[in-house]
């Protein structure tokens, strides 16, 4: 136990941490070009927020939350997702008084007690965006296009965008009755959880993981065939804009999403060939959420992308990222005086913006050079007593073997000059 991380958690370390950083940089870059600012919310919230926000008949709330009572006797939950927290912050921090829409993004750890498998963890990370204050289908298209652009810039291939409309409370009321009537005919076949959901929230049955309920769901009436005129016009507006942006999509009437707050547009980016957990990104509109949480009537929409799943997909597609950090220079030394000089030089070079390394474990000169080669240093110099006295040394290009004389007191300038020449 002592040396084993809890089931469903991961350590992220070099070089994967570099890939992670690269992806986060891309996410932040795309978000800033689309006008989204970063929001950071607490890792834990009052449990009630998720009961009300995510919905108490969802798998997330019924089965997967890390909930505990704190020392002040409050029920606290580690966030299973980001939307409810961002909506809570929107209300609590009076963001509705800002010019609308309010467009924010986050990169956060989330926690769900699920059965771990490839692409499904108990602690995982989401990159998500949330927009408040626009009912307009153009914002639906904007967030979908943001994901599309990010995935293209990262070079992710073989992902399909699935979209659907699951209507508003008005059209859903009539639809729910049809759904209840359909499932009642098959009541005995339903799993126990779905039996209890039938009257309270029949839509959830469509998203049940049990194979038998899944089979039944295939022939159930489809929401998209029952949406009202307003929802239908809205959906057309989204599709028109995706067409204009040349973003390919498939209309998939089976997408209902696993959380209760969704209305109208829902969508998923699904990767081929990463197995069962293939939804890299999921999202949709949630026009009733802010009001449900006690805020003013405010439409909203967003998505979240699983970062581990994104990486898994990239790996399965053989994406080759050059993510290793290699030193610009390694300074070898022989003897105490040279070691002290090397200490000074790496400090100066690091201050000048270079990644400089020196010996830290007492290697022989031969071993130092072997090590410099192994960690991929671009240049090396060797310092002995002579070099320290003359304040000059030979700079060796590790790739070509070529050597040039340099002044130790102008080493940073010499490296800058070389870099300029290579550009
Ligand atoms: P979600 O579909 O529950 O939606 O999660 C979004 C994404 O998070 C999934 O598509 C998947 O990539 C990743 N994910 C979910 N659970 C796990 C897990 N156990 N292990 C690894 N990755 C996982 C939401 O969370 C909504 N809040 C999205 C949203 C934002 N809708 C509107 N705004």
């Amino acid at each position: 136990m002592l040396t084993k991380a809890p089931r469903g958690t991961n350590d992220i370390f070099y070089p994967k941490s570099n890939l992670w950083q690269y992806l986060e940089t891309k996410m932040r870059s795309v978000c800033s070009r689309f006008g989204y600012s970063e929001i950071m919310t607490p890792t834990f919230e009052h449990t009630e927020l998720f009961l009300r926000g995510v919905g108490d008949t969802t798998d997330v709330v019924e089965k997967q939350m890390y909930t505990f009572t704190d020392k002040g006797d409050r029920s606290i939950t580690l966030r299973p997702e980001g939307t409810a927290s961002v909506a809570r912050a929107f209300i609590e921090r009076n963001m509705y008084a800002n010019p609308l829409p309010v467009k924010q993004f986050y990169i956060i750890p989330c926690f769900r007690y699920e059965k771990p498998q490839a692409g499904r963890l108990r602690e995982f990370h989401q990159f998500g965006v949330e927009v408040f204050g626009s009912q307009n289908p153009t914002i639906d298209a904007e967030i979908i296009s943001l994901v599309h652009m990010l995935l293209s810039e990262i070079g992710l291939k073989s992902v399909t965008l699935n979209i659907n409309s699951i209507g508003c409370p008005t059209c859903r009321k009539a639809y729910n009755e049809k759904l209840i009537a359909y499932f009642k005919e098959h009541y005995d076949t339903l799993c126990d959880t779905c039996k209890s959901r039938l009257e309270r929230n029949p839509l959830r049955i469509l998203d049940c993981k049990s194979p038998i309920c899944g089979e039944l769901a295939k022939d159930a009436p489809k929401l998209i065939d029952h949406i009202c005129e307003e929802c239908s016009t809205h959906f057309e507006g989204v599709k028109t804009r995706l067409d204009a942006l040349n973003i390919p999509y498939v209309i998939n009437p089976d997408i209902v999403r696993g959380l209760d707050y969704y209305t109208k547009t829902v969508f998923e980016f699904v990767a081929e060939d990463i197995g069962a957990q293939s939804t890299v990104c999921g999202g949709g509109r949630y026009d009733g959420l802010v009001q449900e949480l006690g805020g003013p009537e405010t439409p909203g929409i967003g998505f979240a992308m699983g970062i581990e799943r994104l990486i898994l997909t990239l790996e399965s597609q053989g994406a080759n990222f050059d993510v290793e950090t290699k030193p610009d220079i390694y300074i070898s030394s022989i003897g105490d005086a040279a070691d002290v000089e090397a200490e000074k030089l790496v400090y100066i070079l690091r201050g000048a913006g270079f990644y400089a390394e020196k010996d830290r474990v007492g290697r022989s000169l031969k071993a130092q050079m072997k090590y410099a080669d192994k960690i991929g240093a671009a240049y090396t110099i060797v310092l002995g007593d002579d070099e320290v006295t003359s304040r000059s040394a030979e700079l060796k290009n590790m790739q070509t073997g070529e050597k040039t004389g340099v002044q130790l007191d102008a080493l940073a300038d010499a490296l800058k000059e070389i870099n300029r020449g290579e550009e």
Side-chain angles (χ1 to χ4, degrees):
M1 290 291 264
L2 196 62
T3 53
K4 217 167 165 13
R7 213 162 114 75
T9 67
N10 245 332
D11 299 307
I12 299 149
F13 53 95
Y14 180 82
K16 196 168 263 183
S17 48
N18 275 17
L19 172 58
W20 202 280
Q21 257 181 38
Y22 164 80
L23 295 174
E24 285 198 12
T25 305
K26 277 275 175 211
M27 287 161 187
R28 291 194 161 87
S29 155
V30 174
C31 280
S32 76
R33 281 178 268 151
F34 276 72
Y36 288 70
S37 57
E38 186 158 7
I39 177 164
M40 294 170 217
T41 59
T43 308
F44 56 84
E45 298 270 2
H46 295 293
T47 302
E48 201 191 341
L49 174 67
F50 302 114
L51 301 186
R52 287 287 286 276
V54 173
D56 56 5
T57 49
T58 58
D59 271 1
V60 168
V61 168
E62 282 193 318
K63 303 176 185 168
Q64 299 168 354
M65 293 210 302
Y66 278 91
T67 296
F68 60 96
T69 307
D70 74 4
K71 289 193 165 65
D73 220 22
R74 295 173 203 94
S75 181
I76 295 292
T77 295
L78 300 184
R79 65 173 163 227
E81 57 107 52
T83 313
S85 301
V86 179
R88 193 260 314 131
F90 176 82
I91 301 166
E92 188 176 351
R93 312 296 168 193
N94 300 336
M95 291 182 204
Y96 44 81
N98 295 348
L100 299 176
V102 173
K103 308 203 294 187
Q104 302 182 95
F105 78 94
Y106 51 84
I107 300 175
I108 53 167
C110 296
F111 307 86
R112 294 185 192 177
Y113 192 81
E114 294 199 74
K115 202 166 168 210
Q117 62 177 82
R120 197 205 275 158
L121 294 149
R122 290 183 174 169
E123 182 186 24
F124 60 99
H125 295 77
Q126 284 190 343
F127 156 59
V129 317
E130 311 294 350
V131 184
F132 296 96
S134 171
Q135 297 207 21
N136 204 292
T138 66
I139 198 77
D140 306 41
E142 177 176 280
I143 68 161
I144 293 174
S145 70
L146 190 159
V147 181
H148 184 77
M149 189 175 287
L150 174 69
L151 297 182
S152 319
E153 288 188 12
I154 294 169
L156 192 75
K157 295 185 278 282
S158 317
V159 249
T160 307
L161 165 62
N162 290 265
I163 61 170
N164 190 22
S165 175
I166 58 168
C168 62
T170 315
C171 35
R172 205 162 313 151
K173 213 166 157 206
Y175 171 74
N176 274 355
E177 279 165 22
K178 290 203 170 74
L179 205 56
I180 293 173
Y182 169 80
F183 281 120
K184 268 192 176 158
E185 283 174 29
H186 305 278
Y187 186 81
D188 293 339
T189 329
L190 291 173
C191 75
D192 288 345
T193 315
C194 286
K195 279 181 182 150
S196 79
R197 284 168 171 170
L198 182 58
E199 295 289 344
R200 287 193 295 156
N201 191 353
L203 204 62
R204 285 279 67 85
I205 303 175
L206 299 179
D207 168 60
C208 177
K209 304 288 175 294
S210 126
I212 297 175
C213 298
E215 270 309 305
L216 283 180
K218 278 186 191 159
D219 295 326
K222 306 288 178 210
L223 229 172
I224 189 89
D225 300 329
H226 296 82
I227 57 175
C228 65
E229 208 178 316
E230 191 210 315
C231 290
S232 177
T233 309
H234 188 275
F235 196 45
E236 285 307 313
V238 180
K239 288 191 289 180
T240 306
R241 278 155 187 87
L242 293 180
D243 291 338
L245 298 174
N246 268 330
I247 297 177
Y249 58 84
V250 172
I251 296 169
N252 182 345
D254 293 330
I255 292 189
V256 288
R257 308 279 303 133
L259 314 170
D260 270 356
Y261 44 63
Y262 290 111
T263 52
K264 291 187 175 148
T265 316
V266 288
F267 61 92
E268 289 181 352
F269 283 81
V270 182
E272 288 152 32
D273 49 60
I274 63 158
Q277 305 304 313
S278 55
T279 308
V280 175
C281 172
R285 197 162 257 292
Y286 45 81
D287 289 345
L289 178 62
V290 172
Q291 207 177 10
E292 177 68 30
L293 296 177
E297 206 178 322
T298 312
I301 183 164
F303 68 76
M305 183 181 290
I307 300 184
E308 286 84 354
R309 262 185 223 181
L310 177 66
I311 291 179
L312 207 65
T313 314
L314 286 166
E315 284 170 349
S316 80
Q317 294 180 356
N320 199 2
F321 291 96
D322 185 14
V323 290
E324 290 186 19
T325 316
K326 293 177 180 159
D328 298 306
I329 183 163
Y330 185 92
I331 300 183
S332 313
S333 56
I334 324 160
D336 264 358
D339 184 76
V340 172
E341 185 63 34
E343 192 75 65
K344 274 171 37 192
L345 283 176
V346 291
Y347 189 71
I348 290 167
L349 290 170
R350 287 167 178 172
F354 293 100
Y355 170 23
E357 271 300 2
K358 72 175 284 295
D359 177 50
R360 294 289 173 208
V361 291
R363 287 188 167 96
S364 69
L365 178 63
K366 198 172 156 204
Q368 286 181 53
M369 293 308 283
K370 226 170 135 182
Y371 177 76
D373 193 41
K374 202 167 170 189
I375 61 173
Y379 288 89
T380 52
I381 60 173
V382 179
L383 298 182
D385 290 341
D386 289 351
E387 283 77 13
V388 175
T389 314
S390 68
R391 314 250 9 106
S392 61
E394 284 195 319
L395 183 70
K396 181 178 174 189
N397 180 324
M398 293 293 277
Q399 226 170 23
T400 61
E402 194 188 329
K403 289 182 179 169
T404 28
V406 283
Q407 298 300 312
L408 295 188
D409 299 316
L411 196 49
D413 288 339
L415 283 178
K416 277 183 192 155
E417 196 54 44
I418 289 169
N419 276 359
R420 263 198 293 275
E422 282 173 356
E423 267 167 16

